[in-house]
Amino acid sequence: MCGIIGFKGQGKVTDQLVEGLKRMEYRGYDSWGVAALTKNGIFLEKKVGAIGEGKLSRPPADATMGIAHTRWATHGGVTQENAHPHASSDGRFVVAQNGIVENYLELKAMLTKVGYQFKTPTDTEVIVHLIHHRLKQASSFREAVRQAFLKLAGRNTIIVLDQQTKSIVAVRNGSPLVLGHLPKGVLLASDTLPLAGKAETVTYIDDMQLVVVDGDVSFYDVKTGRTLHPKRQKLDLVEQKVDKEGYDHFMLKEIVEQQHTVVEAASYSEKELVPLVAALKHARNIYTIGSGTASYAAGQVAYFLRTIALLPAQELRAYEVDSYLPFFDSHDLLIVVSQSGETADTLEAVRKAQIERVKIASIVNMIGSTLSRISDYPYFSRSGPEICVVSTKAYTAQIVWGYLLAMTYAGRFELAQKRIHALAKQLKTYFQPKTFTTIKKLIPELEKDQHLFVLGKGQHFYTGFESALKLKETVYMHCESFSAGELKHGVITLIKKGTPVFGILGDDQYKNDLLVALAEVRARGAKTIGIAAENNEFFDLHVPTPDGGDLDVITKVVPCQLLSYFLAVHLGNNPDKPRNLAKSVTVK
Ligand code: M6R
């Protein structure tokens, strides 16, 4: 969801803030704002739209510290007024927020009663007035922020810049916050990306912790107000350019990068996997879990554990975990899949499982994320920053890691590595202009359709779901995936003349089921599109893809990623920033 930045240190403050925002723009991108403390008070500028060049109209040269925010709107439309930071009525301080104040109506009613007037429908303005209200009695500015924060319900992280005390006060609950220690100064951010290359050490702010940056940096427990001394940690994150590197969009760049990222995800030694392999051996129940694309990757990991390691792993959706809780206990293992490691639904499921003493393994892309820090067995997909809101390379990396894990359990680590390297070569050969031309040929066949269906089965059950999700996210088209086995149980009523139906076929025991299903929909007028190594008489159109063997799920999802990309661009959509979506879903 939204991205928060705070800075105190050397260099031009507004430049540092805008640079930080650009690295976090994927978190929310409908509007943005910057506030900086100057000799003459607080400079504040807010803009609607993408950060782009991040040009401010009159950036102050004398600012000493500041805060900034990139927004994914929840309460109140996308307007300059609703953008953060929000200023207090007396102009003393400004507030930016990441989260949702669930009791904001109640608080608003109370504040209105005592005389506050609201200029916006945002829940953030409630926080501003609440701090102001508390200031009347609190012993310090920090105390006012702390007391106000305790009144907020929901997952919220806030950052406040105060003119009078010349300080930044930030509080975390739910949405992430990390403080980078710079050679001269500090940089606070919602994730580690803006810190890479700048901070060698970081302090991860935990839930219900408050940090004050003034002449010094100090930490407090929000509930008690007591001073804390959290550990500084080394930030093992190489600075990576957040750059399209000549591609029109991050999505295409990240799709093509998969020829390398699949290998990076498998760059664990057998020894490094041993602790988790042992945990798998001892587990009574093994669950995999995630949200959205990560839940499909979790499903695929469970599939590999069942079919390769012969372990009865079961996939759960993070937001549907509750009914399983009575059966969880300390003998169970939960493998959690997430790109960001900050997804609210996923983290909530993990916390609930931890109460039941379930052991947590995770495969996460973002270094330093909450999920990896609370895991018993943290692993990283090592794909580099995934900037496009739509997940591509993180998905395939998570799957490759799951494959390596299952193969290692089955005593076939070396063979897995060989196959993953062979897959990388296949992808390299596949990402050629010729492939892009073939995929683009599908555009006229699909651009006017309202409904599109995908059929998969067995290993391609999840490939179908993920392919359908890519199309929904980028093309805004209704696209559903079903197991070929589901077709005759009701779904077939949806087929009429010209309905496009994709069939994802591997060279496996399910191929025939898929062909029969395609024949059946075709007999009812559907236009069939086969995603398969070989053409077939039941395909009206064929998208040739390499036979990926054990990793066919990857060679088959890639053309669907490419199709989603090219179709979106053709329709004038920005696939990097799909409408309404945010990359890191830190609120529920
Ligand atoms: O960061 P996570 O992997 O935990 O995110 C989970 C989902 O929100 C995410 O995969 C979402 O479905 C993406 N938009 C997929 O492209």
Side-chain angles (χ1 to χ4, degrees), residues 500-577:
V501 179
F502 282 82
I504 304 181
L505 286 83
D507 189 14
D508 57 22
Q509 76 225 61
Y510 306 107
K511 184 173 172 181
N512 215 37
D513 292 353
L514 258 301
L515 289 174
V516 169
L518 289 180
E520 287 167 352
V521 293
R522 201 187 201 199
R524 285 154 182 88
K527 177 163 59 187
T528 58
I529 303 147
I531 300 188
E534 304 291 333
N535 202 350
N536 189 283
E537 60 179 294
F538 294 121
F539 302 162
D540 291 313
L541 298 161
H542 176 220
V543 182
T545 65
D547 179 351
D550 280 6
L551 289 160
D552 205 45
V553 290
I554 293 182
T555 56
K556 296 296 178 286
V557 82
V558 163
C560 301
Q561 296 172 340
L562 284 170
L563 174 64
S564 306
Y565 172 75
F566 288 124
L567 197 50
V569 172
H570 173 79
L571 295 173
N573 302 342
N574 180 353
D576 283 348
K577 297 175 181 175

Coordinates of all heavy atoms in Angstrom, one line a residue, residues 500-577:
P500 N -13.1 -17.4 -26.3 CA -11.7 -17.9 -26.3 C -11.4 -18.8 -25.1 O -11.7 -18.5 -24.0 CB -10.8 -16.7 -26.2 CG -11.7 -15.5 -26.2 CD -13.1 -16.0 -26.0
V501 N -10.9 -20.0 -25.4 CA -10.6 -20.9 -24.3 C -9.1 -21.4 -24.5 O -8.8 -22.0 -25.5 CB -11.5 -22.2 -24.2 CG1 -11.1 -23.1 -23.1 CG2 -13.0 -21.8 -24.1
F502 N -8.3 -21.0 -23.5 CA -6.9 -21.5 -23.5 C -6.8 -22.9 -22.9 O -7.5 -23.1 -21.9 CB -6.0 -20.6 -22.7 CG -5.7 -19.3 -23.4 CD1 -6.6 -18.2 -23.4 CD2 -4.5 -19.2 -24.1 CE1 -6.2 -17.0 -24.1 CE2 -4.1 -18.0 -24.7 CZ -5.0 -16.9 -24.8
G503 N -6.0 -23.7 -23.5 CA -5.7 -25.0 -22.8 C -4.2 -25.1 -22.6 O -3.4 -24.8 -23.5
I504 N -3.8 -25.3 -21.3 CA -2.4 -25.4 -21.0 C -2.0 -26.9 -20.9 O -2.5 -27.6 -20.0 CB -2.1 -24.7 -19.7 CG1 -2.6 -23.2 -19.8 CG2 -0.6 -24.7 -19.4 CD1 -2.3 -22.3 -18.6
L505 N -1.2 -27.3 -21.9 CA -0.9 -28.7 -22.0 C 0.6 -29.0 -21.8 O 1.4 -28.5 -22.5 CB -1.3 -29.3 -23.4 CG -2.8 -29.4 -23.7 CD1 -3.4 -28.1 -24.1 CD2 -2.9 -30.4 -24.8
G506 N 0.9 -30.0 -20.9 CA 2.2 -30.5 -20.8 C 2.3 -31.8 -21.4 O 1.2 -32.4 -21.8
D507 N 3.5 -32.4 -21.5 CA 3.6 -33.7 -22.1 C 3.4 -34.7 -20.9 O 4.4 -35.3 -20.5 CB 4.9 -33.8 -22.8 CG 5.0 -35.1 -23.6 OD1 4.0 -35.8 -23.8 OD2 6.1 -35.5 -24.0
D508 N 2.2 -34.8 -20.4 CA 2.1 -35.6 -19.2 C 0.7 -36.4 -19.2 O 0.0 -36.4 -20.3 CB 2.1 -34.7 -18.0 CG 1.0 -33.6 -18.0 OD1 0.0 -33.8 -18.8 OD2 1.1 -32.6 -17.4
Q509 N 0.4 -37.1 -18.2 CA -0.8 -37.9 -18.1 C -2.1 -37.1 -18.3 O -3.1 -37.7 -18.5 CB -0.8 -38.7 -16.9 CG -1.2 -38.0 -15.6 CD -0.4 -38.2 -14.4 OE1 0.8 -38.0 -14.4 NE2 -1.0 -38.8 -13.4
Y510 N -2.1 -35.8 -18.2 CA -3.3 -35.0 -18.3 C -3.5 -34.4 -19.7 O -4.6 -33.8 -19.9 CB -3.3 -33.9 -17.2 CG -3.0 -34.4 -15.9 CD1 -1.8 -34.2 -15.2 CD2 -4.0 -35.1 -15.2 CE1 -1.5 -34.7 -14.0 CE2 -3.7 -35.7 -13.9 CZ -2.5 -35.4 -13.3 OH -2.3 -36.0 -12.1
K511 N -2.6 -34.6 -20.5 CA -2.6 -34.0 -21.9 C -3.9 -34.4 -22.6 O -4.7 -33.6 -23.1 CB -1.4 -34.5 -22.7 CG -1.3 -33.9 -24.0 CD 0.0 -34.3 -24.6 CE 0.1 -33.9 -26.1 NZ 1.3 -34.3 -26.7
N512 N -4.2 -35.7 -22.5 CA -5.4 -36.2 -23.2 C -6.7 -35.6 -22.6 O -7.6 -35.2 -23.3 CB -5.5 -37.7 -23.1 CG -6.1 -38.3 -24.4 OD1 -5.8 -37.7 -25.5 ND2 -6.9 -39.3 -24.3
D513 N -6.8 -35.4 -21.3 CA -7.9 -34.8 -20.7 C -8.1 -33.4 -21.2 O -9.2 -32.9 -21.4 CB -7.8 -34.7 -19.1 CG -7.8 -36.1 -18.5 OD1 -8.1 -37.1 -19.2 OD2 -7.5 -36.2 -17.3
L514 N -7.0 -32.7 -21.3 CA -7.1 -31.3 -21.9 C -7.6 -31.3 -23.3 O -8.4 -30.5 -23.7 CB -5.7 -30.7 -21.8 CG -5.4 -29.7 -20.6 CD1 -6.3 -28.5 -20.6 CD2 -5.4 -30.4 -19.3
L515 N -7.1 -32.3 -24.1 CA -7.5 -32.3 -25.5 C -8.9 -32.6 -25.6 O -9.7 -32.0 -26.4 CB -6.6 -33.3 -26.3 CG -5.2 -32.9 -26.5 CD1 -4.4 -34.1 -27.1 CD2 -5.0 -31.7 -27.3
V516 N -9.4 -33.5 -24.8 CA -10.9 -33.8 -24.8 C -11.7 -32.6 -24.4 O -12.7 -32.2 -25.1 CB -11.2 -35.0 -23.9 CG1 -12.6 -35.2 -23.7 CG2 -10.5 -36.3 -24.4
A517 N -11.2 -31.9 -23.4 CA -11.9 -30.7 -22.9 C -12.0 -29.7 -24.0 O -13.0 -29.0 -24.3 CB -11.3 -30.2 -21.7
L518 N -10.8 -29.5 -24.7 CA -10.8 -28.5 -25.8 C -11.7 -28.9 -26.9 O -12.4 -28.1 -27.5 CB -9.4 -28.3 -26.3 CG -8.4 -27.6 -25.3 CD1 -7.0 -27.4 -25.9 CD2 -8.9 -26.2 -24.9
A519 N -11.7 -30.2 -27.2 CA -12.6 -30.7 -28.3 C -14.1 -30.4 -27.9 O -14.9 -30.0 -28.8 CB -12.4 -32.2 -28.5
E520 N -14.4 -30.6 -26.6 CA -15.8 -30.4 -26.2 C -16.2 -28.9 -26.3 O -17.3 -28.6 -26.7 CB -16.0 -30.9 -24.8 CG -16.0 -32.4 -24.7 CD -15.8 -33.0 -23.3 OE1 -15.6 -32.2 -22.4 OE2 -16.0 -34.2 -23.2
V521 N -15.3 -28.0 -25.9 CA -15.7 -26.6 -25.9 C -15.7 -26.1 -27.4 O -16.5 -25.3 -27.8 CB -14.8 -25.7 -25.1 CG1 -15.0 -25.9 -23.6 CG2 -13.3 -25.7 -25.4
R522 N -14.8 -26.7 -28.2 CA -14.8 -26.3 -29.6 C -16.1 -26.7 -30.3 O -16.6 -26.0 -31.2 CB -13.6 -27.0 -30.2 CG -13.1 -26.3 -31.5 CD -12.1 -27.2 -32.1 NE -11.2 -26.5 -33.0 CZ -10.5 -27.2 -33.9 NH1 -10.5 -28.5 -33.9 NH2 -9.7 -26.6 -34.7
A523 N -16.6 -27.9 -29.9 CA -17.8 -28.4 -30.5 C -19.0 -27.5 -30.2 O -20.0 -27.5 -30.9 CB -18.1 -29.8 -30.0
R524 N -18.8 -26.7 -29.2 CA -19.8 -25.7 -28.8 C -19.5 -24.3 -29.2 O -20.0 -23.3 -28.7 CB -20.1 -25.8 -27.3 CG -20.8 -27.0 -26.9 CD -20.6 -27.5 -25.5 NE -21.4 -28.8 -25.4 CZ -20.9 -30.0 -25.7 NH1 -19.7 -30.1 -26.2 NH2 -21.7 -31.0 -25.6
G525 N -18.6 -24.2 -30.1 CA -18.3 -22.9 -30.8 C -17.1 -22.1 -30.2 O -16.7 -21.1 -30.7
A526 N -16.4 -22.6 -29.2 CA -15.3 -21.9 -28.6 C -14.1 -21.8 -29.6 O -14.0 -22.7 -30.4 CB -14.8 -22.6 -27.3
K527 N -13.4 -20.8 -29.4 CA -12.1 -20.6 -30.1 C -11.0 -21.2 -29.2 O -10.7 -20.6 -28.2 CB -11.9 -19.2 -30.5 CG -10.6 -18.8 -31.2 CD -10.7 -17.4 -31.8 CE -10.9 -16.3 -30.8 NZ -11.2 -15.0 -31.3
T528 N -10.4 -22.3 -29.6 CA -9.4 -22.9 -28.7 C -8.0 -22.4 -29.0 O -7.6 -22.3 -30.1 CB -9.5 -24.4 -28.8 OG1 -9.2 -24.8 -30.1 CG2 -10.8 -25.0 -28.4
I529 N -7.3 -22.2 -27.9 CA -5.9 -21.7 -28.1 C -5.0 -22.6 -27.2 O -5.1 -22.7 -26.0 CB -5.7 -20.2 -27.6 CG1 -6.7 -19.3 -28.3 CG2 -4.3 -19.7 -27.7 CD1 -7.2 -18.2 -27.6
G530 N -4.2 -23.4 -27.8 CA -3.3 -24.4 -27.1 C -2.0 -23.7 -26.7 O -1.3 -23.2 -27.6
I531 N -1.7 -23.8 -25.5 CA -0.3 -23.4 -25.0 C 0.4 -24.7 -24.8 O 0.1 -25.4 -23.8 CB -0.4 -22.6 -23.7 CG1 -1.2 -21.3 -24.1 CG2 1.0 -22.2 -23.2 CD1 -1.2 -20.3 -23.0
A532 N 1.2 -25.1 -25.7 CA 1.8 -26.5 -25.7 C 3.0 -26.5 -26.6 O 3.2 -25.6 -27.5 CB 0.7 -27.5 -26.2
A533 N 3.8 -27.5 -26.3 CA 5.1 -27.7 -27.2 C 4.7 -28.0 -28.6 O 5.3 -27.4 -29.5 CB 5.9 -28.7 -26.6
E534 N 3.7 -28.8 -28.8 CA 3.4 -29.3 -30.2 C 2.0 -28.8 -30.5 O 1.1 -28.7 -29.7 CB 3.3 -30.8 -30.2 CG 4.6 -31.5 -29.8 CD 5.7 -31.3 -30.8 OE1 5.4 -31.1 -32.0 OE2 6.9 -31.3 -30.4
N535 N 1.8 -28.5 -31.8 CA 0.4 -28.1 -32.3 C -0.5 -29.4 -32.3 O 0.0 -30.5 -32.2 CB 0.5 -27.6 -33.7 CG -0.7 -26.7 -34.0 OD1 -1.6 -26.6 -33.3 ND2 -0.6 -26.0 -35.2
N536 N -1.8 -29.1 -32.3 CA -2.7 -30.3 -32.3 C -4.0 -29.9 -33.0 O -4.3 -28.7 -33.1 CB -3.1 -30.5 -30.8 CG -3.9 -31.8 -30.6 OD1 -5.1 -31.8 -30.9 ND2 -3.2 -32.9 -30.2
E537 N -4.6 -30.9 -33.6 CA -5.8 -30.6 -34.4 C -7.0 -30.0 -33.6 O -7.8 -29.4 -34.2 CB -6.3 -31.9 -35.1 CG -6.7 -32.9 -34.0 CD -7.2 -34.2 -34.7 OE1 -8.3 -34.2 -35.3 OE2 -6.5 -35.3 -34.5
F538 N -6.9 -30.1 -32.3 CA -8.0 -29.4 -31.5 C -7.7 -28.0 -31.2 O -8.5 -27.3 -30.5 CB -8.2 -30.2 -30.2 CG -8.8 -31.6 -30.5 CD1 -8.1 -32.7 -30.0 CD2 -10.0 -31.8 -31.2 CE1 -8.6 -34.0 -30.3 CE2 -10.5 -33.0 -31.4 CZ -9.8 -34.1 -31.0
F539 N -6.6 -27.5 -31.6 CA -6.3 -26.0 -31.4 C -6.7 -25.2 -32.6 O -6.3 -25.5 -33.7 CB -4.8 -25.8 -31.2 CG -4.1 -26.6 -30.1 CD1 -2.7 -26.7 -30.1 CD2 -4.8 -27.1 -29.0 CE1 -2.0 -27.4 -29.1 CE2 -4.1 -27.8 -28.0 CZ -2.8 -27.9 -28.1
D540 N -7.4 -24.1 -32.4 CA -7.6 -23.2 -33.5 C -6.4 -22.3 -33.6 O -6.0 -21.9 -34.7 CB -8.9 -22.3 -33.2 CG -10.2 -23.1 -33.2 OD1 -10.3 -23.8 -34.2 OD2 -11.0 -23.0 -32.3
L541 N -5.8 -22.0 -32.5 CA -4.5 -21.3 -32.5 C -3.6 -22.0 -31.6 O -3.9 -22.6 -30.6 CB -4.8 -19.8 -32.0 CG -5.8 -19.0 -32.8 CD1 -6.3 -17.8 -31.9 CD2 -5.1 -18.5 -34.0
H542 N -2.3 -21.9 -31.9 CA -1.3 -22.6 -31.1 C -0.2 -21.6 -30.7 O 0.3 -20.8 -31.5 CB -0.6 -23.7 -32.0 CG 0.5 -24.4 -31.3 ND1 1.7 -24.7 -31.9 CD2 0.7 -24.8 -30.0 CE1 2.5 -25.3 -31.1 NE2 1.9 -25.3 -29.9
V543 N 0.1 -21.6 -29.4 CA 1.2 -20.8 -28.9 C 2.3 -21.8 -28.5 O 2.2 -22.5 -27.5 CB 0.8 -20.0 -27.6 CG1 2.0 -19.1 -27.1 CG2 -0.4 -19.1 -27.8
P544 N 3.3 -21.9 -29.4 CA 4.4 -22.9 -29.1 C 5.2 -22.5 -27.9 O 5.6 -21.3 -27.8 CB 5.2 -22.9 -30.4 CG 4.8 -21.8 -31.2 CD 3.6 -21.2 -30.6
T545 N 5.5 -23.4 -27.0 CA 6.3 -23.1 -25.8 C 7.3 -24.3 -25.6 O 6.9 -25.4 -26.0 CB 5.5 -23.0 -24.5 OG1 4.9 -24.2 -24.2 CG2 4.5 -21.9 -24.6
P546 N 8.4 -24.1 -25.1 CA 9.3 -25.3 -24.9 C 8.7 -26.3 -23.9 O 7.9 -25.9 -23.0 CB 10.6 -24.7 -24.2 CG 10.4 -23.2 -24.3 CD 9.0 -22.9 -24.6
D547 N 9.0 -27.5 -24.1 CA 8.6 -28.6 -23.1 C 9.6 -28.4 -21.9 O 10.8 -28.7 -22.0 CB 8.8 -30.0 -23.7 CG 8.4 -31.1 -22.8 OD1 8.2 -30.8 -21.6 OD2 8.3 -32.2 -23.2
G548 N 9.0 -28.0 -20.8 CA 9.9 -27.7 -19.6 C 10.1 -28.9 -18.7 O 10.7 -28.7 -17.6
G549 N 9.6 -30.1 -19.1 CA 9.8 -31.3 -18.3 C 9.2 -31.1 -16.9 O 8.1 -30.6 -16.8
D550 N 10.0 -31.3 -15.8 CA 9.6 -31.2 -14.4 C 9.1 -29.7 -14.2 O 8.3 -29.5 -13.3 CB 10.7 -31.4 -13.5 CG 11.0 -32.8 -13.3 OD1 10.4 -33.7 -13.9 OD2 11.9 -33.1 -12.4
L551 N 9.7 -28.8 -14.9 CA 9.5 -27.4 -14.7 C 8.6 -26.8 -15.8 O 8.7 -25.6 -16.1 CB 10.8 -26.6 -14.5 CG 11.5 -27.0 -13.2 CD1 12.9 -26.7 -13.2 CD2 10.8 -26.3 -12.0
D552 N 7.8 -27.6 -16.4 CA 6.9 -27.2 -17.4 C 6.0 -26.0 -17.0 O 5.5 -25.2 -17.8 CB 6.0 -28.4 -17.9 CG 5.6 -28.2 -19.3 OD1 6.4 -27.8 -20.2 OD2 4.4 -28.4 -19.6
V553 N 5.7 -26.0 -15.7 CA 4.8 -24.9 -15.1 C 5.4 -23.6 -15.4 O 4.7 -22.6 -15.5 CB 4.5 -25.1 -13.6 CG1 3.7 -26.3 -13.4 CG2 5.8 -25.2 -12.8
I554 N 6.7 -23.5 -15.6 CA 7.3 -22.2 -15.8 C 7.3 -21.9 -17.3 O 6.9 -20.8 -17.7 CB 8.7 -22.2 -15.2 CG1 8.5 -22.2 -13.7 CG2 9.5 -20.9 -15.7 CD1 9.7 -22.2 -12.9
T555 N 7.7 -22.9 -18.1 CA 7.7 -22.6 -19.6 C 6.2 -22.3 -20.1 O 6.1 -21.7 -21.2 CB 8.3 -23.7 -20.4 OG1 7.7 -24.9 -20.1 CG2 9.8 -23.8 -20.1
K556 N 5.2 -22.8 -19.3 CA 3.9 -22.5 -19.8 C 3.3 -21.2 -19.2 O 2.4 -20.7 -19.8 CB 3.0 -23.7 -19.4 CG 3.4 -25.0 -20.0 CD 3.2 -25.0 -21.6 CE 3.6 -26.3 -22.2 NZ 5.1 -26.5 -22.3
V557 N 3.7 -20.8 -18.1 CA 3.2 -19.5 -17.6 C 3.8 -18.3 -18.3 O 3.1 -17.3 -18.4 CB 3.3 -19.4 -16.0 CG1 4.7 -18.9 -15.6 CG2 2.3 -18.5 -15.4
V558 N 5.0 -18.5 -18.7 CA 5.7 -17.3 -19.4 C 5.0 -16.8 -20.6 O 4.8 -15.6 -20.7 CB 7.2 -17.8 -19.7 CG1 7.8 -16.8 -20.7 CG2 8.0 -17.8 -18.4
P559 N 4.5 -17.6 -21.5 CA 3.7 -17.0 -22.6 C 2.5 -16.3 -22.2 O 2.1 -15.3 -22.8 CB 3.4 -18.2 -23.5 CG 3.8 -19.5 -22.8 CD 4.7 -19.1 -21.7
C560 N 1.9 -16.8 -21.1 CA 0.7 -16.1 -20.6 C 1.1 -14.7 -20.0 O 0.3 -13.8 -20.1 CB 0.0 -17.0 -19.5 SG -0.5 -18.5 -20.2
Q561 N 2.2 -14.7 -19.3 CA 2.7 -13.4 -18.8 C 2.9 -12.4 -20.0 O 2.5 -11.3 -20.0 CB 4.0 -13.6 -18.1 CG 4.0 -14.4 -16.8 CD 5.4 -14.7 -16.3 OE1 6.4 -14.6 -17.0 NE2 5.4 -15.1 -15.0
L562 N 3.6 -13.0 -21.1 CA 3.9 -12.1 -22.2 C 2.6 -11.6 -22.9 O 2.5 -10.5 -23.3 CB 4.7 -12.9 -23.2 CG 6.2 -13.0 -22.9 CD1 6.9 -14.0 -23.8 CD2 6.9 -11.7 -22.9
L563 N 1.6 -12.6 -23.0 CA 0.4 -12.2 -23.7 C -0.3 -11.1 -22.8 O -0.8 -10.1 -23.4 CB -0.6 -13.4 -23.8 CG -2.0 -13.1 -24.3 CD1 -1.9 -12.6 -25.7 CD2 -2.8 -14.4 -24.2
S564 N -0.3 -11.2 -21.5 CA -1.0 -10.2 -20.6 C -0.3 -8.9 -20.9 O -0.9 -7.8 -21.0 CB -0.8 -10.6 -19.2 OG -1.3 -11.9 -18.9
Y565 N 1.0 -8.9 -21.0 CA 1.8 -7.7 -21.2 C 1.4 -7.0 -22.5 O 1.0 -5.9 -22.5 CB 3.3 -8.0 -21.1 CG 4.1 -6.7 -21.5 CD1 4.2 -5.7 -20.6 CD2 4.7 -6.6 -22.7 CE1 4.9 -4.5 -20.9 CE2 5.4 -5.5 -23.1 CZ 5.4 -4.4 -22.2 OH 6.1 -3.3 -22.5
F566 N 1.6 -7.8 -23.6 CA 1.4 -7.2 -24.9 C -0.1 -6.7 -25.1 O -0.3 -5.7 -25.7 CB 1.8 -8.1 -26.0 CG 3.3 -8.3 -26.1 CD1 3.9 -9.5 -26.0 CD2 4.1 -7.2 -26.2 CE1 5.3 -9.7 -26.0 CE2 5.5 -7.3 -26.3 CZ 6.1 -8.6 -26.2
L567 N -1.0 -7.5 -24.6 CA -2.4 -7.1 -24.8 C -2.7 -5.9 -24.0 O -3.4 -5.0 -24.4 CB -3.3 -8.3 -24.3 CG -4.7 -8.4 -24.7 CD1 -4.9 -8.1 -26.2 CD2 -5.3 -9.7 -24.3
A568 N -2.2 -5.8 -22.8 CA -2.4 -4.6 -21.9 C -1.9 -3.3 -22.6 O -2.5 -2.3 -22.7 CB -1.7 -4.8 -20.6
V569 N -0.6 -3.4 -23.1 CA 0.0 -2.3 -23.8 C -0.8 -1.9 -25.0 O -1.1 -0.7 -25.3 CB 1.5 -2.6 -24.1 CG1 2.1 -1.4 -25.0 CG2 2.3 -2.8 -22.9
H570 N -1.3 -2.9 -25.8 CA -2.1 -2.6 -27.0 C -3.4 -1.9 -26.6 O -3.8 -1.0 -27.3 CB -2.4 -4.0 -27.7 CG -3.4 -3.8 -28.8 ND1 -2.9 -3.4 -30.0 CD2 -4.7 -4.0 -28.9 CE1 -4.0 -3.3 -30.8 NE2 -5.1 -3.7 -30.2
L571 N -3.9 -2.2 -25.5 CA -5.2 -1.6 -25.0 C -5.0 -0.3 -24.3 O -5.9 0.4 -23.8 CB -6.0 -2.5 -24.1 CG -6.5 -3.8 -24.8 CD1 -7.1 -4.8 -23.8 CD2 -7.5 -3.5 -25.9
G572 N -3.7 0.1 -24.2 CA -3.4 1.4 -23.6 C -3.3 1.4 -22.1 O -3.3 2.4 -21.4
N573 N -3.3 0.2 -21.5 CA -3.1 0.1 -20.1 C -1.7 0.1 -19.7 O -0.8 -0.3 -20.4 CB -3.7 -1.2 -19.5 CG -5.2 -1.4 -19.9 OD1 -5.8 -0.4 -20.3 ND2 -5.7 -2.6 -19.9
N574 N -1.4 0.6 -18.5 CA 0.0 0.6 -18.0 C 0.2 -0.7 -17.1 O -0.3 -0.7 -16.0 CB 0.3 1.8 -17.2 CG 1.7 1.8 -16.6 OD1 2.4 0.8 -16.8 ND2 2.1 2.9 -16.0
P575 N 0.8 -1.7 -17.7 CA 0.9 -3.0 -16.9 C 1.7 -2.8 -15.6 O 1.5 -3.7 -14.7 CB 1.5 -3.9 -17.9 CG 2.2 -3.1 -18.9 CD 1.6 -1.8 -18.9
D576 N 2.6 -1.8 -15.5 CA 3.4 -1.7 -14.3 C 2.5 -1.2 -13.2 O 2.8 -1.4 -12.0 CB 4.5 -0.6 -14.5 CG 5.6 -1.3 -15.3 OD1 5.6 -2.5 -15.5 OD2 6.5 -0.5 -15.8
K577 N 1.5 -0.4 -13.5 CA 0.6 0.2 -12.5 C -0.8 0.0 -12.8 O -1.6 0.9 -13.2 CB 0.9 1.7 -12.4 CG 2.3 2.0 -12.0 CD 2.6 3.4 -12.0 CE 4.1 3.7 -11.6 NZ 4.5 5.1 -11.8

